[in-house]
Amino acid sequence: MATPETPATPATPTENHEIVLKNEIVHEHSNEMVPDDEMIHEHSHEMVPENEMIHEHNHELVPENEMMHEHNHEMVQEHEMTHEHHIVLGNEIVPGDEMVRDNEMIPLNEMVLAEPQPNYIETPPNDLETQPSKRRKKKSIVWEHFTIENVGAGTRRACCKQCKQSFAYSTGSKVAGTSHLKRHIAKGACPVVLRNQQSNQSSPYNTPSKMSGYGGSNDAPKRRYRTASSPYLAFDPDRCRQEISRMIIMHDYPLHMVEHPGFLTFVQHLQPRFDMVSFNTVQGDCVATYLKEKQAIQKVIGGVPGRICLTLDMWSSCYTVGYVFITGQFIDSEWKIHRKILNVIMEPYPDSDTAFSHAVAACLSDWSMEGKLFSVTINQPIGDAAVDNLRALLSVKNPLVLNGQLLVGNCLARTLSSIAQDAFHFLHGTVKKVRDSVKYVKTSESHEEKFIELKQQLQVPSTKTLALDDRTQWNTTYEMLLAASELKEVFSCLDTSDPDYKDAPSVEDWKQVETLCTYLKILFDTANLLTAPTIPTTNTFFHEAWKIQLELARAAASEDPSISSLTKTMQEKFDKYWKTCCLMLAIAVVMDPRFKMKLVEFSFTKIYGEEAATYVKIVEEGIHELFLEYVALPLPLTPTYAEEANGGAIKQENAQDLGASSNGAGLTDFDAYIMETTSQQSRSELDQYLEESLLPRVHEFDVVGWWKLNRMKYPTLSKMARDILSVPVSTVPADSVFCTVGKEMDQYRCSLRPETVEALICAKDWLQNASVDTLHAPIKMEVPI
C-alpha cells in the first residue's frame, strides 16, 4: 500500500488498539485502509462517518451535532435520537439491525440509514439564528419557511414565515423535532406552497436542493436521505367535480347522493376546502361528461366505412312509459368490431306500432347516420304494421337492402329464453317436484349430509352439485334439473330412508326431466355463445340455428307422445325465428370461406328434404342481388374507402386535383359506362369467391381478419362481407342472455329527466368499454377440426 506523500503525525495507540494515520485509519488486525472521514469499530467493523462518534461503552453512533448526557448516555439532536437498538428520524423509528453491515461496501454519498422509511433531502442551512458551538448548522429545509423565537426561559418556538403560526420547538433540553413542521408545509396551507404549485413546482420535499459537503465544500454529502415516493398534488376543485360525476356514472349511484348528510360529512373531513356541489350541479357535470365522450364516439362513427346495424331493446317502467335502448354494432376502418349504446329514448306509448320507428328516426338524426343503416334487430316480435312503419321510415333516406328483407330481425337470446320458459311451464308440475326435492336437501345441513352419505354408499358417479335455481335465469333451472336427474337414484333412496321426505318425483317424472334436459341443452349451448367476452360475428349462429331447427322439428314429429307434446310448442316458436332470420344467417355463413354455399346446401337438405333446392336457390339469388346492390349503389367514399380504392398510393388531394383539371365536363356517359362495365366484372368477383375451394376448418378462425387480408382481391365483396358479419343476433348484453323477465327501468331513474337518463346510461357504457372488445383471434389454418 502506498504511503501518503505528506508524512503522517504518529498516533498514540488507543484503548481500542486502533492505529491512526493522517488520512487513513488502519485496523491493526485486518490492515484495511479506511478514509479519514470514517472510523472502524474494533468489534463490529462498521463504517462510521467522520461526523459521528463512537461511545466507548455502548458503541452507539452519535452524530457530531448530537449532545450526550454524561450520566445516562442519552443522545439528543434537533431531529434525530438514538435509543437502545433504534434510530429515530423525525418521528420514524428504524430498527438498529437494519444498519449497514461490516462487510457491505457503500459509496460515501449514498449511505441509507433506514431502508423502509422515506426520508428527506437536506439542503444548505439558513443562518436563521446563532447556534450553540456544539451543534452544527441546521440543514433541514423547514428552516427556509420557519424562524426560531425565544418565548421564555429555555423555551423556543418555530414561527412560520408565511402564516405566522407558531409551533413547539424546544423546552430546556427537550427538542420537539421538525416532523410537524414538515407536515405543515406539505399540507399546502402556506401561500408560498400554493404559489409554487401554481408554477408547476413540486413539493419542497420532492425537489432535490443543493447540499453542501463537509466543511462547506461542494463535494458529495456523506449521507443521502430518500425523497418522497409521490409528488404533492395541488388541490383542484374542478377535477374533484369531474371525478364525482364519473363515479356516479360508473357505479349507478343516485345523483342525490351529493346532498346526503353522510356523504357531505365525509367530503368535509376529507378535504375541507372543497365546496360540495348540489344535485343540479352534479347533474350538469354528468351530462357534460356524456357530451365529452359523445364527441369521441361521433368521430369513430363518422369514419366507419361501412353500414351500421342497430339493436332495439324496450325496457318497461312503473310509470307505463317505455325506454328504448339503441345499440350500434359496426366494423371500423381497422376491421375491428364495435358495440356501443347510442341512445336511450323514452317512449310514452311503448305498445304502439310507431314506438320503434320513432326511436330509430331519433337515433339516425342524432348521429347523422342517414343512408348508413343496414339492419335492425328487435328484442320482441312486432306486428306487420310496426314493420311497415320501419320500412317506410327508412326507405326515404336509407337504401333498403334486398327490398328490406334483411332489415328487421328478432333477438336470438329472447327467443331462446321464451322457448325455455314455455318448456318449464309445460312441465311445471314435474319441475316443482324437483325444485322442492332440491330445496329439502339444500336448506338443511343434516339433510344434505345424509344425501351425500347416500350418494357415497350408492357410488353414484355424478360430479354435479345440487343448487336451487333463480327463477329469473332459465339456465339455473336447467342446471338444477340436470344435476337432480343425474342424482335421481339418491333421491329414490332418500324417499325410502327418510320419512320426512315426501312427494318425491316418480319414475315418469324423471323420464320427463331427462327429455326436457336433452332439448334444453341445445338451447343452452347456443345461448352460451352469446356470453362470450368477445363480440361474435353473425356467421357463428347459422350452425346453431339450423341444428336447433332440425332437432326440434324431428322431436315434434316423434312417435313418442311425451317427446312430441313437449317439443311441439318449442318447435313452433323457434320456427318463427328461423323464417325471419334464416336468410340473414345463411348469407353470413356464405361469407365464411370455410363453408360458403356448401354448408347451406347440406343443412337445407337435412331440414327441408326434397324441397331443399328451392330454399338453396333463394339464398343464392339473394346473395347475388345483394352483391349487385353494393356495386350499383356504392357507399359514400370516406377517406378510408378512398385509400383502399387507390391502393393507398394516390392521396385525396391528388384525386381532387385530377377532378378539378377535367372540370367534370362530358363525363356523365363515362360514369355510366364505368358502372356498367364494373358491374359485369364484379359479378365474376362473387362467382370467383364461391368457386374457390374451401379453407380448412380450424379451432380458431377470425373471419373478419380474413376479409381484411383479402380486401384487395375482393374489393366490393369485402365491403358486403363487412356489413353482413356485423349484424347482431342479440339485443341484450352478455349478463342478460338467460333472463326470463323483461328489463324494467328503476323508479329513481324514471324520476330523472329523459336526457339525464340517456347521459348516465350511455356514458357508463362508453367509459367501461374505453378499450373496445374486439376479435383478435389469429387465423389458424394448420389444425383441422
Side-chain angles (χ1 to χ4, degrees):
M1 177 178 297
T3 58
E5 296 179 1
T6 304
T9 302
T12 301
T14 64
E15 294 179 2
N16 296 335
H17 309 292
E18 294 175 351
I19 301 175
V20 183
L21 301 181
K22 176 183 179 183
N23 294 325
E24 298 177 346
I25 299 174
V26 185
H27 195 282
E28 62 180 348
H29 300 292
S30 64
N31 296 325
E32 294 179 352
M33 305 296 295
V34 184
D36 61 355
D37 58 345
E38 295 183 357
M39 299 176 63
I40 304 179
H41 191 274
E42 175 181 18
H43 303 291
S44 64
H45 307 294
E46 294 179 349
M47 301 176 65
V48 184
E50 161 183 46
N51 60 351
E52 296 184 356
M53 299 185 300
I54 304 177
H55 193 276
E56 61 181 338
H57 300 293
N58 56 14
H59 312 299
E60 294 177 345
L61 302 180
V62 185
E64 68 176 358
N65 66 336
E66 294 180 354
M67 301 179 61
M68 182 182 298
H69 198 279
E70 63 182 356
H71 299 292
N72 55 15
H73 309 296
E74 291 182 353
M75 292 175 289
V76 180
Q77 184 197 356
E78 59 177 297
H79 58 274
E80 216 174 285
M81 297 187 298
T82 304
H83 179 64
E84 294 184 356
H85 302 291
H86 297 82
I87 296 176
V88 181
L89 300 178
N91 290 328
E92 300 171 352
I93 299 178
V94 182
D97 58 359
E98 292 186 8
M99 298 180 64
V100 181
R101 302 302 177 188
D102 57 338
N103 57 354
E104 295 179 347
M105 303 298 295
I106 302 178
L108 296 180
N109 61 342
E110 291 189 10
M111 181 173 289
V112 182
L113 296 183
E115 180 67 21
Q117 300 292 338
N119 301 322
Y120 296 92
I121 293 175
E122 292 189 354
T123 59
N126 293 334
D127 295 330
L128 300 177
E129 66 170 354
T130 303
Q131 301 293 331
S133 61
K134 293 184 179 181
R135 293 181 179 271
R136 65 182 177 184
K137 294 182 179 180
K138 293 179 171 57
K139 293 185 178 181
S140 176
I141 197 172
V142 300
W143 302 118
E144 295 182 4
H145 306 276
F146 290 87
T147 58
I148 295 179
E149 299 177 350
N150 294 319
V151 296
T155 301
R156 294 181 297 172
R157 295 182 67 82
C159 180
C160 179
K161 295 180 181 180
Q162 301 300 326
C163 63
K164 306 304 180 183
Q165 184 177 355
S166 65
F167 300 85
Y169 176 64
S170 66
T171 303
S173 61
K174 182 178 180 181
V175 180
T178 60
S179 296
H180 61 304
L181 306 182
K182 295 175 183 178
R183 290 193 294 269
H184 175 69
I185 299 174
K187 285 182 178 179
C190 293
V192 64
V193 178
L194 294 179
R195 285 199 301 269
N196 289 341
Q197 294 301 328
Q198 292 173 358
S199 302
N200 294 325
Q201 296 179 1
S202 301
S203 173
Y205 295 107
N206 299 323
T207 305
S209 302
K210 293 181 180 180
M211 294 186 293
S212 59
Y214 177 73
S217 66
N218 293 327
D219 297 335
K222 303 299 185 298
R223 184 181 302 171
R224 177 172 65 90
Y225 291 94
R226 299 193 174 189
T227 59
S229 59
S230 59
Y232 171 78
L233 298 178
F235 170 63
D236 187 350
D238 293 335
R239 178 64 182 271
C240 292
R241 284 177 50 181
Q242 293 176 11
E243 293 304 323
I244 287 178
S245 65
R246 289 172 64 92
M247 174 190 69
I248 289 176
I249 291 171
M250 290 292 294
H251 303 290
D252 295 328
Y253 294 146
L255 295 176
H256 287 84
M257 72 174 293
V258 297
E259 297 178 349
H260 293 172
F263 187 71
L264 291 173
T265 304
F266 166 73
V267 174
Q268 182 64 26
H269 284 82
L270 186 67
Q271 177 51 265
R273 297 165 57 200
F274 179 63
D275 294 331
M276 199 57 204
V277 295
S278 64
F279 165 80
N280 290 331
T281 302
V282 77
Q283 181 177 228
D285 291 344
C286 290
V287 174
T289 301
Y290 157 76
L291 293 176
K292 179 181 178 182
E293 297 296 328
K294 186 176 182 179
Q295 290 179 351
I297 306 297
Q298 283 177 324
K299 292 181 180 179
V300 174
I301 292 180
V304 172
R307 290 186 169 98
I308 298 175
C309 305
L310 301 181
T311 67
L312 308 180
D313 195 15
M314 178 73 78
W315 287 33
S316 61
S317 72
C318 59
Y319 296 113
T320 68
V321 298
Y323 291 84
V324 181
F325 282 59
I326 303 180
T327 303
Q329 189 160 305
F330 53 88
I331 296 177
D332 64 11
S333 58
E334 298 297 325
W335 291 81
K336 295 179 180 179
I337 190 167
H338 297 253
R339 182 181 177 91
K340 296 182 180 296
I341 297 180
L342 301 181
N343 294 99
V344 179
I345 299 174
M346 187 193 73
E347 288 295 333
Y349 306 100
D351 298 328
S352 66
D353 295 332
T354 59
F356 286 112
S357 59
H358 173 264
V360 171
C363 176
L364 296 180
S365 175
D366 187 23
W367 294 90
S368 301
M369 291 193 304
E370 288 86 353
K372 300 188 71 173
L373 182 63
F374 186 77
S375 72
V376 177
T377 305
I378 303 178
N379 70 322
Q380 61 192 34
I382 59 176
D384 294 337
V387 174
D388 292 340
N389 287 333
L390 271 174
R391 289 176 177 168
L393 166 71
L394 301 176
S395 62
V396 177
K397 295 183 179 180
N398 196 83
L400 291 178
V401 180
L402 281 181
N403 196 28
Q405 295 183 67
L406 306 181
L407 178 61
V408 180
N410 291 333
C411 175
L412 178 60
R414 297 288 191 185
T415 300
L416 298 178
S417 296
S418 178
I419 294 174
Q421 281 183 280
D422 289 345
F424 294 145
H425 180 72
F426 184 82
L427 296 178
H428 67 278
T430 302
V431 173
K432 184 179 185 303
K433 285 183 181 181
V434 176
R435 183 181 291 116
D436 291 342
S437 297
V438 174
K439 185 186 299 184
Y440 178 83
V441 174
K442 297 299 294 183
T443 56
S444 172
E445 186 175 351
S446 60
H447 294 168
E448 187 170 11
E449 291 177 354
K450 189 172 184 178
F451 187 87
I452 295 174
E453 183 181 352
L454 284 174
K455 177 185 176 183
Q456 294 174 349
Q457 291 176 359
L458 296 172
Q459 297 182 350
V460 177
S462 175
T463 59
K464 299 290 185 181
T465 302
L466 291 179
L468 280 172
D469 63 327
D470 178 359
R471 304 284 286 275
T472 65
Q473 301 284 328
W474 71 266
N475 60 315
T476 62
T477 305
Y478 161 71
E479 291 169 345
M480 178 191 71
L481 294 175
L482 185 63
S485 177
E486 293 187 7
L487 297 170
K488 61 183 178 181
E489 296 179 14
V490 185
F491 280 107
S492 299
C493 290
L494 186 65
D495 184 25
T496 57
S497 61
D498 189 349
D500 294 333
Y501 177 54
K502 301 175 181 179
D503 200 17
S506 63
V507 176
E508 184 63 26
D509 291 334
W510 288 120
K511 183 180 179 181
Q512 290 180 340
V513 170
E514 291 177 355
T515 302
L516 178 60
C517 289
T518 299
Y519 295 100
L520 284 179
K521 184 181 186 304
I522 307 174
L523 310 183
F524 177 78
D525 292 342
T526 301
N528 260 336
L529 296 176
L530 296 170
T531 63
T534 54
I535 304 173
T537 49
T538 317
N539 61 299
T540 306
F541 296 96
F542 180 81
H543 311 279
E544 308 301 322
W546 80 263
K547 286 187 293 185
I548 295 176
Q549 175 71 5
L550 177 63
E551 293 299 327
L552 292 182
R554 287 178 175 177
S558 174
E559 296 180 357
D560 188 337
S562 60
I563 296 178
S564 60
S565 59
L566 170 64
T567 57
K568 184 178 180 180
T569 304
M570 300 171 64
Q571 193 274 333
E572 290 176 352
K573 182 162 289 189
F574 190 81
D575 188 59
K576 294 180 179 178
Y577 173 83
W578 175 255
K579 290 179 179 179
T580 304
C581 303
C582 172
L583 181 60
M584 172 66 75
L585 297 176
I587 294 178
V589 84
V590 172
M591 294 295 101
D592 190 331
R594 299 171 298 171
F595 302 104
K596 300 183 182 178
M597 284 296 302
K598 296 298 183 182
L599 184 60
V600 176
E601 296 168 358
F602 172 79
S603 58
F604 281 12
T605 301
K606 296 284 188 180
I607 296 174
Y608 299 111
E610 297 179 355
E611 299 178 358
T614 303
Y615 293 97
V616 170
K617 186 178 180 181
I618 293 175
V619 176
E620 287 181 338
E621 292 177 351
I623 292 175
H624 283 83
E625 183 179 347
L626 179 62
F627 180 72
L628 290 178
E629 289 186 13
Y630 270 80
V631 175
L633 298 173
L635 294 177
L637 200 62
T638 63
T640 304
Y641 268 146
E643 185 177 352
E644 291 181 0
N646 294 295
I650 302 177
K651 295 184 179 180
Q652 286 279 339
E653 52 267 22
N654 295 337
Q656 292 175 359
D657 292 341
L658 291 174
S661 61
S662 63
N663 295 324
L667 295 180
T668 304
D669 295 339
F670 176 72
D671 292 337
Y673 168 75
I674 291 295
M675 185 68 66
E676 185 176 335
T677 56
T678 303
S679 176
Q680 295 298 324
Q681 295 172 358
S682 299
R683 286 181 62 86
S684 62
E685 181 183 318
L686 175 60
D687 294 336
Q688 178 185 353
Y689 166 76
L690 294 176
E691 291 170 1
E692 288 179 350
S693 59
L694 302 179
L695 293 181
R697 297 194 302 277
V698 294
H699 293 286
E700 295 182 15
F701 181 77
D702 181 7
V703 63
V704 176
W706 187 89
W707 281 105
K708 177 183 179 181
L709 295 177
N710 290 272
R711 66 186 185 279
M712 302 307 297
K713 182 179 181 181
Y714 304 110
T716 304
L717 192 61
S718 63
K719 299 173 185 177
M720 173 177 144
R722 173 161 38 194
D723 293 340
I724 288 288
L725 295 173
S726 64
V727 175
V729 299
S730 174
T731 66
V732 299
D735 57 354
S736 301
V737 168
F738 294 100
C739 284
T740 59
V741 293
K743 291 292 186 177
E744 181 176 352
M745 188 71 71
D746 61 81
Q747 186 173 3
Y748 175 77
R749 285 191 170 178
C750 289
S751 66
L752 301 176
R753 295 185 306 168
E755 297 81 4
T756 303
V757 175
E758 181 178 52
L760 294 173
I761 294 174
C762 293
K764 178 183 178 180
D765 177 72
W766 301 338
L767 293 174
Q768 284 182 337
N769 300 291
S771 56
V772 181
D773 289 336
T774 57
L775 293 174
H776 296 289
I779 302 176
K780 298 182 179 180
M781 301 182 182
E782 69 280 6
V783 184
I785 295 178

